[in-house]
Coordinates of all heavy atoms in Angstrom, one line a residue:
M102 N 0.8 -1.2 0.0 CA 0.0 0.1 0.0 C 0.8 1.3 -0.1 O 1.9 1.3 0.7 CB -0.9 0.0 1.2 CG -2.0 1.1 1.1 SD -3.2 0.7 0.0 CE -4.1 -0.6 0.8
A103 N 0.5 2.2 -0.8 CA 1.3 3.4 -0.8 C 0.3 4.6 -0.6 O -1.0 4.4 -0.5 CB 1.8 3.6 -2.2
T104 N 0.9 5.7 -0.3 CA 0.0 6.9 0.0 C 0.1 7.9 -1.0 O 1.3 8.3 -1.4 CB 0.4 7.5 1.4 OG1 0.3 6.4 2.3 CG2 -0.5 8.6 1.8
D105 N -0.9 8.4 -1.4 CA -0.9 9.6 -2.4 C -0.5 10.7 -1.6 O -1.0 11.1 -0.6 CB -2.4 9.8 -2.8 CG -2.6 10.9 -3.9 OD1 -1.8 11.9 -3.8 OD2 -3.4 10.8 -4.7
P106 N 0.7 11.3 -2.1 CA 1.4 12.5 -1.3 C 0.5 13.7 -1.4 O 0.7 14.6 -0.6 CB 2.7 12.6 -1.9 CG 2.5 12.2 -3.3 CD 1.6 10.9 -3.2
V107 N -0.5 13.9 -2.3 CA -1.2 15.1 -2.6 C -2.4 15.0 -1.6 O -2.6 15.9 -0.9 CB -1.6 15.2 -3.9 CG1 -2.5 16.5 -4.2 CG2 -0.3 15.3 -4.8
C108 N -3.3 14.0 -1.7 CA -4.4 14.0 -0.9 C -4.4 13.0 0.3 O -5.4 12.9 1.1 CB -5.6 13.7 -1.8 SG -5.6 12.0 -2.4
K109 N -3.3 12.4 0.5 CA -3.0 11.5 1.6 C -3.9 10.2 1.7 O -4.0 9.6 2.7 CB -3.2 12.3 2.9 CG -2.2 13.6 3.0 CD -0.8 13.1 3.1 CE 0.1 14.3 3.6 NZ 0.4 15.3 2.5
M110 N -4.6 9.9 0.6 CA -5.4 8.7 0.7 C -4.4 7.4 0.3 O -3.4 7.7 -0.4 CB -6.6 8.8 -0.3 CG -6.3 8.8 -1.7 SD -7.9 8.8 -2.7 CE -8.3 7.0 -2.6
N111 N -5.0 6.3 0.6 CA -4.2 5.2 0.3 C -4.4 4.7 -1.1 O -5.5 4.8 -1.6 CB -4.6 4.0 1.2 CG -4.1 4.2 2.7 OD1 -3.0 4.8 2.8 ND2 -4.8 3.8 3.6
V112 N -3.5 4.4 -1.8 CA -3.5 3.9 -3.1 C -2.8 2.6 -3.3 O -1.7 2.4 -2.6 CB -3.0 4.9 -4.2 CG1 -3.8 6.1 -4.2 CG2 -1.5 5.2 -3.9
Q113 N -3.3 1.7 -4.2 CA -2.6 0.5 -4.4 C -1.7 0.6 -5.6 O -2.2 0.9 -6.7 CB -3.6 -0.6 -4.6 CG -4.4 -1.0 -3.4 CD -5.3 -2.3 -3.6 OE1 -5.0 -3.1 -4.4 NE2 -6.5 -2.2 -2.9
P114 N -0.4 0.5 -5.4 CA 0.6 0.7 -6.5 C 0.2 -0.1 -7.9 O 0.4 0.3 -8.9 CB 1.9 0.1 -6.0 CG 1.7 0.4 -4.6 CD 0.3 0.1 -4.2
A115 N -0.4 -1.2 -7.7 CA -0.8 -2.1 -8.8 C -2.0 -1.5 -9.6 O -2.2 -1.8 -10.7 CB -1.1 -3.5 -8.4
K116 N -2.7 -0.8 -8.8 CA -4.0 -0.3 -9.5 C -4.0 1.3 -9.6 O -5.1 1.8 -10.0 CB -5.2 -0.7 -8.6 CG -5.4 -2.2 -8.6 CD -6.6 -2.5 -7.7 CE -6.9 -3.9 -7.7 NZ -8.1 -4.3 -6.9
T117 N -2.9 2.0 -9.2 CA -2.9 3.3 -9.3 C -3.2 4.0 -10.7 O -2.7 3.3 -11.7 CB -1.6 3.9 -8.6 OG1 -1.7 5.3 -8.5 CG2 -0.4 3.5 -9.5
A118 N -3.7 5.1 -10.7 CA -4.0 5.7 -11.9 C -2.8 6.4 -12.5 O -2.7 6.5 -13.7 CB -5.1 6.8 -11.6
A119 N -2.0 6.8 -11.6 CA -0.7 7.6 -12.0 C 0.4 7.4 -11.1 O 0.1 7.2 -9.8 CB -1.0 9.0 -12.3
K120 N 1.6 7.4 -11.6 CA 2.6 7.3 -10.7 C 3.8 8.2 -11.3 O 3.8 8.4 -12.5 CB 3.2 5.9 -10.4 CG 3.7 5.2 -11.6 CD 3.9 3.8 -11.4 CE 4.4 3.1 -12.8 NZ 4.2 1.6 -12.7
T121 N 4.8 8.5 -10.4 CA 5.8 9.3 -10.9 C 7.1 9.1 -10.0 O 6.9 8.7 -8.9 CB 5.6 10.8 -11.0 OG1 6.5 11.4 -11.8 CG2 5.6 11.4 -9.7
E122 N 8.3 9.3 -10.5 CA 9.5 9.2 -9.7 C 10.0 10.4 -9.4 O 10.2 11.2 -10.4 CB 10.5 8.2 -10.4 CG 11.7 7.9 -9.6 CD 12.7 7.0 -10.2 OE1 12.3 6.4 -11.3 OE2 13.9 6.9 -9.8
Y123 N 10.3 10.7 -8.2 CA 10.9 12.0 -7.7 C 12.0 11.8 -6.8 O 11.8 11.0 -5.8 CB 9.9 12.9 -7.3 CG 10.4 14.2 -6.8 CD1 10.8 15.2 -7.8 CD2 10.5 14.5 -5.5 CE1 11.3 16.4 -7.3 CE2 11.1 15.7 -5.0 CZ 11.4 16.7 -6.0 OH 11.9 18.0 -5.6
A124 N 13.2 12.3 -7.0 CA 14.3 12.1 -6.0 C 14.6 10.6 -5.8 O 14.8 10.4 -4.5 CB 14.1 12.9 -4.7
G125 N 14.4 9.8 -6.6 CA 14.8 8.4 -6.6 C 13.7 7.6 -5.8 O 13.8 6.5 -5.5
Q126 N 12.5 8.3 -5.6 CA 11.5 7.5 -4.9 C 10.2 7.5 -5.8 O 9.9 8.5 -6.5 CB 11.2 8.2 -3.6 CG 10.2 7.3 -2.8 CD 10.0 8.0 -1.4 OE1 10.9 8.8 -0.9 NE2 9.0 7.6 -0.7
M127 N 9.5 6.4 -5.8 CA 8.3 6.4 -6.5 C 7.1 6.9 -5.7 O 7.0 6.6 -4.5 CB 8.0 4.9 -6.9 CG 8.8 4.4 -8.0 SD 8.9 5.3 -9.5 CE 7.2 5.2 -10.0
Y128 N 6.2 7.7 -6.3 CA 5.1 8.2 -5.8 C 3.8 7.8 -6.5 O 3.9 7.8 -7.8 CB 5.1 9.7 -5.6 CG 6.2 10.2 -4.7 CD1 7.5 10.5 -5.2 CD2 6.0 10.4 -3.4 CE1 8.4 11.0 -4.3 CE2 7.0 10.8 -2.5 CZ 8.2 11.1 -3.1 OH 9.2 11.5 -2.3
Y129 N 2.8 7.3 -5.8 CA 1.6 6.9 -6.5 C 0.4 7.8 -6.2 O 0.3 8.4 -5.1 CB 1.3 5.5 -6.0 CG 2.4 4.5 -6.2 CD1 3.3 4.3 -5.4 CD2 2.5 3.8 -7.6 CE1 4.4 3.4 -5.5 CE2 3.6 3.0 -7.7 CZ 4.4 2.7 -6.8 OH 5.5 1.9 -7.0
F130 N -0.4 7.9 -7.2 CA -1.6 8.8 -7.1 C -2.9 8.2 -7.3 O -3.0 7.3 -8.1 CB -1.3 10.0 -8.1 CG 0.0 10.7 -7.8 CD1 1.0 10.2 -8.7 CD2 0.2 11.6 -6.9 CE1 2.3 10.8 -8.4 CE2 1.5 12.2 -6.7 CZ 2.6 11.8 -7.6
C131 N -3.9 8.8 -6.7 CA -5.2 8.1 -6.9 C -5.9 8.6 -8.2 O -6.7 8.0 -8.8 CB -6.1 8.6 -5.8 SG -6.5 10.5 -5.8
S132 N -5.3 9.7 -8.7 CA -5.9 10.3 -10.0 C -4.9 11.1 -10.7 O -3.9 11.5 -10.1 CB -7.1 11.1 -9.7 OG -6.8 12.3 -9.0
E133 N -5.2 11.4 -12.0 CA -4.4 12.2 -12.8 C -4.3 13.7 -12.1 O -3.3 14.4 -12.4 CB -4.8 12.3 -14.2 CG -3.9 12.8 -15.2 CD -2.6 12.2 -15.2 OE1 -2.5 10.9 -15.1 OE2 -1.4 12.8 -15.4
A134 N -5.3 14.0 -11.6 CA -5.4 15.4 -11.0 C -4.4 15.5 -9.9 O -3.7 16.5 -9.9 CB -6.7 15.6 -10.4
C135 N -4.2 14.5 -9.0 CA -3.2 14.5 -8.0 C -1.8 14.6 -8.6 O -0.8 15.1 -8.1 CB -3.4 13.4 -7.0 SG -4.8 13.7 -5.9
H136 N -1.7 13.7 -9.6 CA -0.4 13.5 -10.4 C 0.1 14.9 -10.9 O 1.3 15.3 -10.6 CB -0.6 12.5 -11.5 CG 0.6 12.2 -12.2 ND1 0.7 11.7 -13.5 CD2 2.0 12.3 -11.8 CE1 1.9 11.4 -13.9 NE2 2.7 11.7 -12.8
K137 N -0.9 15.6 -11.4 CA -0.5 16.9 -12.0 C -0.1 17.9 -10.9 O 0.7 18.7 -11.0 CB -1.6 17.5 -12.9 CG -1.8 16.8 -14.1 CD -3.0 17.4 -15.0 CE -3.1 16.5 -16.2 NZ -4.3 17.1 -17.0
A138 N -0.9 17.8 -9.7 CA -0.6 18.8 -8.7 C 0.8 18.5 -8.1 O 1.5 19.3 -7.8 CB -1.6 18.5 -7.6
F139 N 1.2 17.2 -8.0 CA 2.5 16.8 -7.5 C 3.6 17.4 -8.5 O 4.5 17.9 -8.1 CB 2.6 15.3 -7.4 CG 3.9 14.9 -6.9 CD1 4.2 14.7 -5.5 CD2 5.0 14.5 -7.8 CE1 5.3 14.3 -5.0 CE2 6.2 14.1 -7.3 CZ 6.4 14.0 -5.9
N140 N 3.3 17.1 -9.7 CA 4.4 17.6 -10.7 C 4.5 19.1 -10.8 O 5.6 19.6 -11.1 CB 4.0 17.1 -12.2 CG 4.3 15.6 -12.4 OD1 5.2 15.1 -11.7 ND2 3.6 15.0 -13.2
A141 N 3.5 19.8 -10.5 CA 3.6 21.2 -10.4 C 4.5 21.8 -9.2 O 5.2 22.7 -9.4 CB 2.2 21.9 -10.2
E142 N 4.4 21.0 -8.1 CA 5.2 21.4 -6.9 C 5.6 20.2 -6.2 O 5.2 19.9 -5.1 CB 4.4 22.3 -6.0 CG 3.9 23.5 -6.6 CD 3.1 24.3 -5.6 OE1 3.6 25.1 -4.9 OE2 1.8 24.1 -5.5
P143 N 6.5 19.5 -6.8 CA 6.9 18.1 -6.2 C 7.6 18.3 -4.9 O 7.4 17.5 -3.9 CB 7.9 17.6 -7.2 CG 8.4 18.7 -8.0 CD 7.2 19.7 -8.1
Q144 N 8.4 19.4 -4.7 CA 9.1 19.6 -3.4 C 8.1 19.8 -2.3 O 8.4 19.7 -1.1 CB 10.1 20.7 -3.5 CG 9.6 22.1 -3.7 CD 9.2 22.4 -5.0 OE1 8.6 21.7 -5.8 NE2 9.6 23.7 -5.6
K145 N 6.9 20.4 -2.6 CA 5.9 20.7 -1.6 C 5.3 19.4 -1.0 O 5.0 19.3 0.2 CB 4.8 21.5 -2.2 CG 3.6 21.8 -1.3 CD 2.6 22.6 -2.1 CE 1.4 22.8 -1.3 NZ 0.3 23.5 -2.0
Y146 N 5.2 18.4 -1.9 CA 4.6 17.1 -1.4 C 5.5 16.0 -1.0 O 5.1 15.1 -0.2 CB 3.6 16.7 -2.5 CG 2.5 17.6 -2.9 CD1 2.6 18.3 -4.2 CD2 1.5 17.8 -2.1 CE1 1.6 19.2 -4.5 CE2 0.4 18.7 -2.4 CZ 0.5 19.5 -3.6 OH -0.4 20.3 -4.0
A147 N 6.7 16.0 -1.6 CA 7.6 14.9 -1.4 C 8.4 15.1 -0.1 O 9.2 14.1 0.3 CB 8.6 14.9 -2.6
G148 N 8.3 16.2 0.6 CA 9.1 16.3 1.7 C 9.1 15.4 2.8 O 9.9 14.9 3.4
G149 N 7.8 14.9 2.9 CA 7.4 14.0 4.0 C 7.3 14.5 5.4 O 7.1 13.9 6.4
A150 N 7.4 15.9 5.6 CA 7.2 16.4 6.8 C 5.9 16.6 7.2 O 5.0 17.0 6.4 CB 7.9 18.0 6.8
P151 N 5.5 15.9 8.4 CA 4.0 15.9 8.7 C 3.4 17.2 8.8 O 2.3 17.5 8.3 CB 4.1 15.1 10.1 CG 5.4 14.5 10.2 CD 6.3 15.3 9.3
H152 N 4.0 18.1 9.5 CA 3.4 19.5 9.6 C 4.5 20.5 9.4 O 4.6 21.5 10.0 CB 3.0 19.7 11.1 CG 1.7 18.9 11.4 ND1 0.5 19.2 11.0 CD2 1.6 17.8 12.2 CE1 -0.4 18.3 11.4 NE2 0.2 17.4 12.2
G153 N 5.3 20.4 8.3 CA 6.2 21.3 7.9 C 5.6 22.4 7.3 O 4.5 22.5 6.7
G154 N 6.3 23.5 7.3 CA 5.7 24.8 6.7 C 5.7 24.7 5.1 O 5.3 25.5 4.5
G155 N 6.4 23.7 4.7 CA 6.5 23.5 3.2 C 8.0 23.6 2.7 O 8.5 22.7 2.0
H156 N 8.6 24.6 3.1 CA 10.0 24.8 2.7 C 11.1 24.3 3.6 O 11.1 24.7 4.8 CB 10.2 26.3 2.5 CG 9.5 26.9 1.2 ND1 10.0 26.7 0.0 CD2 8.3 27.5 1.2 CE1 9.0 27.3 -0.8 NE2 8.0 27.8 -0.1
T157 N 11.7 23.4 3.2 CA 12.9 22.9 4.1 C 14.2 23.3 3.5 O 14.6 23.0 2.3 CB 12.9 21.3 4.1 OG1 12.7 20.8 2.8 CG2 11.7 20.9 4.9
H158 N 15.0 24.0 4.2 CA 16.2 24.4 3.8 C 17.3 23.4 4.2 O 17.0 22.5 5.1 CB 16.6 25.7 4.4 CG 15.8 26.8 3.9 ND1 16.4 27.6 2.7 CD2 14.7 27.4 4.1 CE1 15.5 28.5 2.4 NE2 14.4 28.5 3.2
G159 N 18.4 23.4 3.6 CA 19.5 22.5 3.9 C 19.2 21.3 2.9 O 18.3 20.6 3.2
G160 N 20.0 21.2 1.9 CA 19.8 20.2 0.9 C 20.0 18.8 1.5 O 20.9 18.5 2.2
S161 N 18.9 18.1 1.4 CA 19.1 16.6 1.7 C 19.6 15.8 0.7 O 18.8 15.4 -0.3 CB 17.7 16.1 2.1 OG 16.7 16.3 1.2
H162 N 20.9 15.6 0.8 CA 21.5 14.9 -0.4 C 22.1 13.7 0.2 O 23.3 13.5 0.4 CB 22.6 15.8 -1.1 CG 23.1 15.3 -2.3 ND1 22.4 15.6 -3.5 CD2 24.2 14.7 -2.7 CE1 23.0 15.0 -4.5 NE2 24.1 14.5 -4.1
H163 N 21.4 12.7 0.4 CA 21.8 11.5 1.0 C 22.1 10.4 -0.1 O 21.2 10.1 -0.9 CB 20.7 10.9 2.0 CG 20.4 11.9 3.1 ND1 21.4 12.2 4.1 CD2 19.4 12.7 3.4 CE1 20.9 12.9 4.9 NE2 19.6 13.3 4.5
H164 N 23.2 9.9 0.1 CA 23.5 8.7 -0.8 C 24.1 7.6 0.0 O 25.2 7.5 0.5 CB 24.6 9.2 -1.7 CG 24.2 9.8 -3.0 ND1 23.6 9.2 -4.1 CD2 24.1 11.1 -3.4 CE1 23.3 9.9 -5.0 NE2 23.5 11.1 -4.6
G165 N 23.1 6.7 0.3 CA 23.5 5.6 1.0 C 24.4 4.6 0.3 O 23.9 4.0 -0.7
H166 N 25.6 4.4 0.6 CA 26.4 3.4 -0.1 C 26.3 2.0 0.6 O 26.2 2.0 1.8 CB 27.9 3.9 -0.2 CG 28.0 5.0 -1.2 ND1 28.2 4.8 -2.5 CD2 28.1 6.2 -1.1 CE1 28.4 5.8 -3.1 NE2 28.3 6.9 -2.3
Ligands
ZN476 ZN1 -5.1 11.8 -4.7

């Protein structure tokens, strides 16, 4: 089970309407509308901060070797 980062609903990767890869991670969407919203502002949705203000400073450039 994956979570639509835009509307926060659960989506099944196998049945999802749309998906995209951002920063090396796959994101799944319930609809094309959410997909477009994500693509418009991927950094807004992909942060993963529960109650973040939206903008995170300090580049998170993690490369796990
Ligand atoms: Zn959605």
Side-chain angles (χ1 to χ4, degrees):
M102 191 69 78
T104 303
D105 183 326
V107 177
C108 68
K109 303 290 194 280
M110 72 175 280
N111 290 328
V112 293
Q113 294 185 33
K116 296 182 179 180
T117 186
K120 66 187 176 198
T121 195
E122 185 178 345
Y123 177 76
Q126 188 174 340
M127 290 303 299
Y128 294 92
Y129 301 91
F130 307 95
C131 67
S132 67
E133 191 60 35
C135 285
H136 188 200
K137 287 180 180 176
F139 182 89
N140 283 336
E142 301 179 89
Q144 70 276 43
K145 175 180 173 182
Y146 299 109
H152 288 285
H156 290 280
T157 47
H158 285 273
S161 56
H162 197 80
H163 296 292
H164 272 283
H166 282 278

